Amino acid sequence: MAHSAVVCLAGTLDTKGVEYAYVKDCLLAAGVDVLVVDCGTVGEPPFEPDVPASQVAELVGVDLAEFKTGVEGAGGRVRAITAMGEGLRLLLTDLVEEGRIDAVLGLGGTGGTDLLSAAFRDLGMGFPKLIVSTMASNNTRPYVGHSDMLMQNAVTDIAGLNRVSKLVLSNAAQAAAGMAKGYEFTKRQAEASKPLVAISMWGVTTPGVMRIRERLEDNGFEVVTFHAVGEGAGMEHLIDKGVIDGLIDFTLAELLNHRNKGIFDPGCERMEAAIRTGIPQVVVPGAIECFNFGAVDTIPPEYNTEERNVLIHNANVSTLLATREEMRELGEYVADHVNRAPGPKGVALPLEGLDNYCKEGSQYHGIDVTPVFDSIRKNLAKDVELLELKNHINDPEFADAVFDLFQARWNEHAEATALAG
C-alpha cells in the first residue's frame, strides 16, 4: 500500500487557531494527511489537536499552567517560547526518526517564529520545513541559521483571514503538501554514494576551485562549494553534522572579515569544525589578505585609509587590504588550527599570488604577503606536509598539486578507517 504523505502542522493554536484551521483544510484538500501539534500556552485551542500543548510541555518537564499568565519578559513569555520550542524540537525529532511525518509547517509572528524555528531548523538537511512568518522580509539568519528551512513572507500579520492572507496561507499549504509528497523521491535523489568534499571559494579564487572540482569528480568524489561571503559558517555546520567527508579550505577571506566585522563575516570562528571532527583536509590561504565592506562610502573611517589600499570590487562591495601585523596573525591562526586538527592534513602555499586581485594589471599586483607565508612556515607543526609552489593560486599546476595533496590525505584517512574497522 502506498505511503500517504503527512504534514505536521505545528504552532500556537490559542492565538492563531482560525488560521491553522484554514491551513489544515488546505492541506487536506491538497491530498495529504495532517498531524496538528499545539504549542499554545495562554489559552485553549479552537479545535482539538492531535498532540496537545500539555504533551509538548511535558517533554521538557514543564507544567503548562506556569505559562497561562502570558507575562512579557524573560520570566514569562520568553521562557514559554523557549520551553515549548525545545519540547516541539524533541517531539518532531522523534516523529521524523519514526517516519511518521514528511514535512513540517508553521505560522508565526515574532514569538511564534522564534518558537517554531528553534524546533524546525535542526530536523536535518532535506527534510521539508516551512514557516510562514512576519519576519521573513527581515534578516532571517537568526531563524534559519545554517539549515535549509524555508521562510515565506506572511505579508500581513497572521491575525484573521482575508483575501490577502488566504492567498499566502493557501500557497504555503500547497508548497508543504508538494514537498511532503515528494520527500521520498528527494531522499532517493540524495542517497550518499560518493564521499562528499567541501571547498571554500570566492570569485577571485574560482578558476583554481573549478579545476580541483573537476579533478575530484573525475576521481570518484562529490563536491560542494561554499561561497566565502559568510557561507563558511554553513560549511562548518555541515562538517559538524557529519555531512562533509573531506575539506579543501581554499579561500580564507572570512577570517579577516570576522575579525574586522566586514560584510562577509561568517559570524563564527572558521576552521574549527575540522578540529572537532578530524576529517581529512588541505588548507590554502586563498584571499586571506583582504576583507570587505559595502560601497566605498559605507567603509568605517578607521578602515578607509591609504594603508588599506581600498579596491572597488563592484558597486556594492569594496575590498580592503590586511596590515602586515594582521597578515602575521592570520598566518599564526591558520597554522594553529591546522596543527590542532586531528585528521590527515596538509597546507599549500601559492607563492605567486593568493587570488586574482594579485594578478598583473590588478590594483593589488605586487603587494607583499610574505608575512602570511612566513608566519605559516614558522608556526606549522613539522609533521604537517607543506607544499610551496611558485604558482598563482588559480594556475592549473597549483590546483593539480592541491588535488594530489588532498588525495594523499584522503588515502591516509581511508587506510586508518579500514584498520579501525
Side-chain angles (χ1 to χ4, degrees):
M1 184 174 180
H3 170 75
S4 181
V6 179
V7 174
C8 178
L9 185 59
T12 54
L13 301 190
D14 52 359
T15 59
K16 293 176 171 45
V18 172
E19 296 83 2
Y20 271 94
Y22 175 76
V23 172
K24 179 181 178 181
D25 288 342
C26 290
L27 287 167
L28 293 171
V32 295
D33 292 336
V34 183
L35 188 150
V36 178
V37 178
D38 184 19
C39 300
T41 60
V42 298
E44 296 301 318
F47 65 94
E48 186 175 353
D50 298 288
V51 180
S54 59
Q55 185 175 330
V56 176
E58 285 172 7
L59 289 172
V60 286
V62 173
D63 185 345
L64 196 62
E66 295 180 34
F67 301 134
K68 290 298 182 182
T69 59
V71 176
E72 297 288 344
R77 186 166 181 260
V78 172
R79 182 168 175 265
I81 289 170
T82 302
M84 295 302 281
E86 176 61 13
L88 180 61
R89 186 189 69 80
L90 294 172
L91 174 68
L92 293 178
T93 298
D94 287 344
L95 291 173
V96 172
E97 288 179 353
E98 294 166 6
R100 294 176 56 191
I101 59 174
D102 302 282
V104 63
L105 170 63
L107 326 172
T110 54
T113 303
D114 273 342
L115 189 160
L116 294 168
S117 63
F120 285 16
R121 61 177 172 250
D122 283 338
L123 290 179
M125 184 66 64
F127 183 82
K129 37 197 174 283
L130 170 62
I131 300 177
V132 181
S133 172
T134 58
M135 301 303 293
S137 64
N138 208 318
N139 175 20
T140 60
R141 177 177 279 192
Y143 308 109
V144 175
H146 308 300
S147 75
D148 62 340
M149 185 180 78
L150 302 176
M151 289 184 70
Q152 179 181 347
N153 186 17
V155 182
T156 69
D157 200 354
I158 303 173
L161 296 175
N162 52 66
R163 68 182 68 180
V164 176
S165 63
K166 284 183 177 179
L167 289 173
V168 173
L169 297 177
S170 179
N171 275 338
Q174 294 293 328
M179 288 190 291
K181 291 177 181 178
Y183 182 45
E184 290 300 320
F185 173 81
T186 298
K187 286 192 291 186
R188 290 195 299 272
Q189 294 303 300
E191 287 178 354
S193 58
K194 300 177 180 178
L196 181 61
V197 177
I199 309 182
S200 54
M201 183 178 78
W202 236 19
V204 291
T205 61
T206 294
V209 170
M210 292 296 96
R211 173 80 174 192
I212 295 169
R213 177 176 182 164
E214 181 180 349
R215 293 293 308 278
L216 286 166
E217 290 175 343
D218 287 346
N219 284 272
F221 295 95
E222 188 176 1
V223 181
V224 54
T225 59
F226 289 87
H227 199 191
V229 293
E231 293 307 317
M235 183 175 76
E236 300 275 325
H237 172 76
L238 292 179
I239 293 171
D240 278 328
K241 290 293 184 181
V243 176
I244 306 297
D245 301 304
L247 170 65
I248 300 178
D249 216 346
F250 199 79
T251 309
L252 299 179
E254 289 168 319
L255 298 184
L256 201 51
N257 270 283
H258 182 57
R259 171 174 170 158
N260 292 342
K261 303 304 177 187
I263 59 171
F264 298 146
D265 179 3
C268 70
E269 296 289 343
R270 282 276 277 103
M271 301 181 68
E272 296 276 347
I275 296 173
R276 291 187 288 265
T277 60
I279 62 171
Q281 66 166 331
V282 168
V283 174
V284 178
I288 198 173
E289 85 286 4
C290 53
F291 64 109
N292 307 86
F293 287 106
V296 172
D297 60 3
T298 70
I299 301 173
E302 64 269 27
Y303 290 113
N304 195 356
T305 65
E306 184 177 351
E307 181 182 33
R308 295 295 185 180
N309 198 354
V310 176
L311 181 153
I312 299 174
H313 181 81
N314 60 41
N316 297 303
V317 177
S318 54
T319 300
L320 290 78
L321 191 63
T323 65
R324 291 182 66 83
E325 180 60 18
E326 285 172 338
M327 290 186 196
R328 183 190 66 77
E329 292 174 352
L330 288 166
E332 287 183 354
Y333 183 99
V334 170
D336 172 67
H337 281 69
V338 173
N339 291 343
R340 290 192 287 125
K345 56 206 176 186
V347 176
L349 305 181
L351 302 181
E352 298 299 321
L354 294 171
D355 48 56
N356 277 347
Y357 291 141
C358 300
K359 296 195 79 169
E360 186 173 357
S362 179
Q363 184 172 326
Y364 285 178
H365 177 62
I367 62 168
D368 182 11
V369 295
T370 54
V372 174
F373 297 146
D374 289 344
S375 186
I376 290 175
R377 293 182 188 114
K378 177 181 177 181
N379 294 284
L380 193 66
K382 301 305 179 186
D383 61 344
V384 178
E385 185 171 359
L386 176 64
L387 288 184
E388 299 190 41
L389 291 91
K390 292 184 177 181
N391 292 109
H392 185 274
I393 193 170
N394 289 321
D395 287 347
E397 296 84 358
F398 183 77
D400 289 345
V402 170
F403 166 76
D404 290 340
L405 182 59
F406 176 79
Q407 181 73 73
R409 298 295 86 82
W410 179 262
N411 292 343
E412 289 179 18
H413 167 73
E415 291 170 9
T417 302
L419 288 174

